[in-house]
Amino acid sequence: MNKVKGYPQSFFCWMGYVYLVYGKNSGHLGISHKPGLDFTFWVRQGYKNFKLLTPALPIGTAAFFRDLFLKSNLDREGNNKQLINKIMTIGRRLLGLTSWEPTKGALVEPLMPPPIDEIELIKEIMEGRIFWREELIQSMIENKIKVRTPLEDILHWLHLKGDILLFPGVGYDANGKPCCKRCGQSTKLIKVKCAACQSEDFVCEECLNMGQSRLCRPLYARQKSEKIAKRDYEVKCNPKLEFDLSLAQKDAYDKAKDFVAKGKAKECLLWAVCGAGKTEVAYGAITTVLERGGKVLYTCPRREVIRELYLRLRSVWPQLSIKAVYGGSTDKYSQADLILATTHQTLRFYRMFDLVILDEVDAFPLAGNPMLYHVVERARHQSGQVLWLTATPPTNLIERVNRRELEVIYLPARHHGYPLPEPKIITDPFLKWFGNKRVLKFLIKCIEVTLKQRVQILVFVSSVMEVKKLVKLLANCNLIQPSWVRGCYANCSRREEIINSFRKGEFPILVTTTVLERGVTIPRLNVLVLYADDERVFDNNTLVQIAGRVGRASTYPQGNVWFIGQRVTHSMASACKQIKNFNQLAYKRGYLLK
């Protein structure tokens, strides 16, 4: 192993052949960018006849024809020229390719395999990963290693040995429809011409921000080995908590720990109310996996959460190796006991983790995105488990709970032991958009209550335009000083400054979009949702999250939540019912103060 300052990083286009190798009683179909390596490998396995079936093709096309030949049992038929030509014709028709000249019996010269030490080095660094060749180079640089043999040759030899899987970035299904083998999607593929190899190509737009997935670009993957890691310290992995768990947290903590310890179920939902401390509850499950030498992934959509959680968990487990991976982080490829990663970064993990904890499953961009579900599931080892954490689970998880297909752990109370503030619904069928006196009347009444209580208020609206209009309307109101009200939205240039100022209590009224529906904790707060009946924006989960901003602090566990609209929607009624049901469950279990 040598220290490395740099490594050639030219874009690698995989152009290669489909081949058939056969002996007296059996055969094998494969694809190769250097058939001489395959020839050497199979000769060592006792095969003597080696035949190229296609001209050089992009890996996605070559893999399609290999699979087509496999379905026709060509590996058993041997050198059946009639069957070969028939399959070729079918495959070209499905992909819309013009015919090509039959591959001549070109002489394939055997090549020396890569050195054993380099093979083992790459095998080790690939464990639990799915990489482009270029990402593997970055991993080698980060881990300060270097090899002399071309990486694509070492990786191909490992593929021949069965130690590594070889995929095309973009491939085809059985019907010739292109799909991305990295993110699993087939809806956002653009047909282009590759500037590097000049072949007709597809590029996946869905996962483009993590590097180009192409028809001519290979992916290499290796799952984590079954061996148990031996820890080099004697201290057990018990978390160092700075506070005692509440009764509700302790019950959920023990149930999460049992879920992992028993290992009977592959998935479990931890359904907690907003502000209940669900992360601390997951510590029991994490501890159980770490103590037996396993690896844990904690993933959520937002990098801000990952960065904050990294600092917290380093103090909880100071004796462990913990790593945070997100866009812009510098340490993406080294190993660790506990890895925290944004959901997009899980694209680089393959069958690695014994436990995957997925937080904020309902939050953007994870909500409703099958690609991110696909890659998170792929990061789990085949014998591993998934623990979902959320206050607002998506419909599919709730339906699975109702059908008893998914285990569920309820955390229905906050640590301070007070019930959740239940929303008050205000309706007026004549309520119109901004400027109407009725709108101003309801708003001023709720703001007056807030100011008398000496607390702050978040006013939620559905668009940036409405933020600007309402700030102007309130600033010109005689009962409110202009300096008391400000606005905030996702693309606001002073967003962080305004939020920090509001946190410090420098002004009482903040008008915002749903950008602040989660992730913000203000000790003394009321919230108001204006036109809560706009279900395009304010669905059940959004309303529950907004209501969950109130009453989080033990110093002020009460507060007001107002939903204002022309009518009561299903989402408004459902959100109120969910909050009320959790309060009733908490009372029933003895988690709330009498």
Side-chain angles (χ1 to χ4, degrees):
M1 185 171 71
N2 301 318
K3 290 187 177 181
V4 60
K5 293 182 179 179
Y7 198 94
Q9 297 189 50
S10 57
F11 191 86
F12 175 58
C13 293
W14 193 106
M15 298 293 292
Y17 308 84
V18 182
Y19 66 81
L20 171 67
V21 58
Y22 54 96
K24 290 183 179 179
N25 301 315
S26 63
H28 182 88
L29 283 157
I31 58 174
S32 179
H33 72 291
K34 277 189 180 178
L37 286 173
D38 299 68
F39 187 34
T40 299
F41 179 84
W42 290 112
V43 166
R44 293 182 176 186
Q45 310 303 313
Y47 294 93
K48 295 182 179 179
N49 302 296
F50 194 94
K51 179 181 178 62
L52 299 179
L53 302 180
T54 67
L57 301 169
I59 184 172
T61 308
F64 172 77
F65 276 97
R66 176 202 57 197
D67 294 344
L68 210 57
F69 284 129
L70 282 170
K71 287 182 179 179
S72 66
N73 295 318
L74 182 63
D75 53 333
R76 300 176 189 172
E77 293 282 338
N79 190 19
N80 186 329
K81 294 182 179 179
Q82 186 177 358
L83 180 60
I84 291 172
N85 291 333
K86 178 182 177 181
I87 298 303
M88 288 286 194
T89 302
I90 293 172
R92 287 195 297 262
R93 185 176 70 245
L94 286 171
L95 300 187
L97 301 176
T98 57
S99 61
W100 54 63
E101 291 294 323
T103 303
K104 304 293 183 182
L107 181 64
V108 177
E109 296 288 344
L111 297 173
M112 288 294 293
I116 293 176
D117 60 334
E118 294 186 353
I119 292 173
E120 290 301 314
L121 191 62
I122 298 304
K123 179 180 175 181
E124 181 180 352
I125 204 172
M126 280 293 302
E127 184 165 317
R129 301 285 185 166
I130 180 167
F131 279 157
W132 306 119
R133 169 183 168 274
E134 295 74 22
E135 288 174 330
L136 176 56
I137 291 171
Q138 290 298 324
S139 177
M140 293 171 65
I141 292 172
E142 187 173 298
N143 288 281
K144 297 181 173 59
I145 62 172
K146 189 175 182 179
V147 296
R148 299 182 183 87
T149 309
L151 274 179
E152 57 271 21
D153 294 353
I154 300 175
L155 290 163
H156 190 71
W157 191 263
L158 284 165
H159 162 64
L160 289 170
K161 291 178 63 181
D163 292 324
I164 279 179
L165 297 175
L166 171 63
F167 304 105
V170 173
Y172 296 97
D173 66 14
N175 298 315
K177 183 180 178 181
C179 59
C180 181
K181 299 297 184 178
R182 179 167 68 158
C183 72
Q185 299 304 293
S186 58
T187 56
K188 294 184 179 181
L189 295 171
I190 305 174
K191 196 168 187 178
V192 296
K193 189 171 185 178
C194 179
C197 64
Q198 301 301 308
S199 64
E200 292 295 320
D201 206 352
F202 286 98
V203 175
C204 178
E205 279 193 313
E206 185 67 35
C207 58
L208 189 59
N209 63 334
M210 295 293 290
Q212 293 183 8
S213 184
R214 288 178 170 272
L215 188 70
C216 61
R217 196 177 187 191
L219 272 172
Y220 305 95
R222 181 172 183 247
Q223 74 172 21
K224 180 176 71 73
S225 64
E226 295 287 353
K227 65 182 180 181
I228 299 297
K230 292 183 179 180
R231 306 217 179 266
D232 57 0
Y233 47 78
E234 297 179 356
V235 181
K236 288 191 175 182
C237 303
N238 291 327
K240 295 184 178 180
L241 297 176
E242 296 180 355
F243 54 87
D244 293 330
L245 297 177
S246 67
L247 178 59
Q249 287 177 314
K250 183 67 170 59
D251 286 349
Y253 181 102
D254 291 339
K255 289 175 182 177
K257 189 172 183 177
D258 286 345
F259 157 68
V260 173
K262 293 177 181 177
K264 294 180 180 179
K266 290 298 180 185
E267 297 175 89
C268 181
L269 169 64
L270 175 57
W271 192 347
V273 298
C274 294
K278 62 183 184 298
T279 303
E280 287 77 14
V281 166
Y283 291 172
I286 294 172
T287 299
T288 302
V289 174
L290 294 177
E291 283 185 337
R292 64 191 186 200
K295 289 186 178 293
V296 178
L297 170 68
Y298 193 110
T299 179
C300 74
R302 296 183 295 151
R303 76 173 79 181
E304 296 83 2
V305 175
I306 294 298
R307 287 198 292 252
E308 184 271 335
L309 194 60
Y310 173 67
L311 298 176
R312 284 169 58 189
L313 296 191
R314 282 182 62 189
S315 63
V316 172
W317 282 289
Q319 70 274 33
L320 292 181
S321 169
I322 302 176
K323 183 175 68 171
V325 182
Y326 51 87
S329 64
T330 56
D331 182 17
K332 287 187 172 71
Y333 302 104
S334 59
Q335 296 289 349
D337 301 313
L338 173 58
I339 293 179
L340 314 173
T342 56
T343 43
H344 275 94
Q345 293 296 328
T346 60
L347 275 167
R348 296 192 178 99
F349 297 115
Y350 184 82
R351 304 292 183 216
M352 184 174 188
F353 299 100
D354 302 279
L355 175 64
V356 175
I357 297 175
L358 184 54
D359 199 358
E360 296 190 340
V361 62
D362 60 303
F364 177 85
L366 189 60
N369 189 332
M371 184 267 279
L372 294 177
Y373 280 100
H374 168 79
V375 299
V376 168
E377 170 62 21
R378 189 176 63 192
R380 177 183 65 85
H381 193 272
Q382 288 172 319
S383 60
Q385 296 172 288
V386 176
L387 179 62
W388 312 84
L389 305 185
T390 183
T392 46
T395 304
N396 66 311
L397 290 184
I398 296 175
E399 289 175 347
R400 290 179 60 197
V401 169
N402 293 337
R403 293 195 300 266
R404 300 181 183 277
E405 296 174 358
L406 179 65
E407 286 194 12
V408 60
I409 299 168
Y410 293 105
L411 180 55
R414 290 171 172 163
H415 61 92
H416 52 54
Y418 287 86
L420 304 171
E422 297 181 12
K424 303 177 181 67
I425 295 178
I426 301 172
T427 60
D428 186 333
F430 301 103
L431 201 64
K432 294 183 179 180
W433 299 107
F434 298 108
N436 184 277
K437 290 183 179 180
R438 289 178 182 268
V439 176
L440 194 58
K441 174 185 173 183
F442 290 126
L443 280 173
I444 295 301
K445 184 176 180 180
C446 294
I447 289 172
E448 283 182 335
V449 170
T450 298
L451 296 177
K452 286 180 181 178
Q453 293 173 335
R454 296 180 179 273
V455 300
Q456 294 171 280
I457 185 170
L458 276 174
V459 180
F460 287 86
V461 293
S462 60
S463 70
V464 174
M465 179 189 68
E466 292 169 8
V467 170
K468 295 177 179 179
K469 285 185 176 180
L470 188 55
V471 168
K472 186 177 180 180
L473 180 68
L474 292 175
N476 292 327
C477 175
N478 293 331
L479 298 176
I480 300 172
Q481 296 182 21
S483 61
W484 289 1
V485 58
R486 301 179 74 175
C488 177
Y489 44 88
N491 295 324
C492 178
S493 60
R494 300 175 61 193
R495 174 180 158 190
E496 292 302 321
E497 175 190 337
I498 292 170
I499 293 174
N500 288 334
S501 180
F502 188 66
R503 278 196 174 110
K504 294 175 183 177
E506 295 176 0
F507 63 97
I509 306 165
L510 179 58
V511 183
T512 182
T513 60
T514 54
V515 69
L516 293 186
E517 73 175 63
R518 64 180 76 215
V520 175
T521 298
I522 307 296
R524 298 172 60 84
L525 186 72
N526 291 340
V527 298
L528 182 151
V529 184
L530 185 58
Y531 299 107
D533 51 344
D534 185 355
E535 288 191 287
R536 297 169 301 175
V537 178
F538 300 116
D539 61 13
N540 170 74
N541 285 355
T542 299
L543 291 173
V544 170
Q545 286 287 348
I546 288 173
R549 300 308 96 204
V550 178
R552 297 169 74 97
S554 57
T555 54
Y556 190 75
Q558 64 269 39
N560 291 291
V561 180
W562 294 288
F563 295 163
I564 300 178
Q566 289 182 293
R567 61 193 177 94
V568 179
T569 64
H570 173 76
S571 293
M572 292 164 68
S574 180
C576 293
K577 182 179 179 181
Q578 181 176 323
I579 293 169
K580 185 175 182 179
N581 286 346
F582 268 122
N583 278 338
Q584 290 176 344
L585 179 60
Y587 272 120
K588 183 178 179 180
R589 293 186 176 180
Y591 296 150
L592 299 183
L593 300 175
K594 300 297 183 182

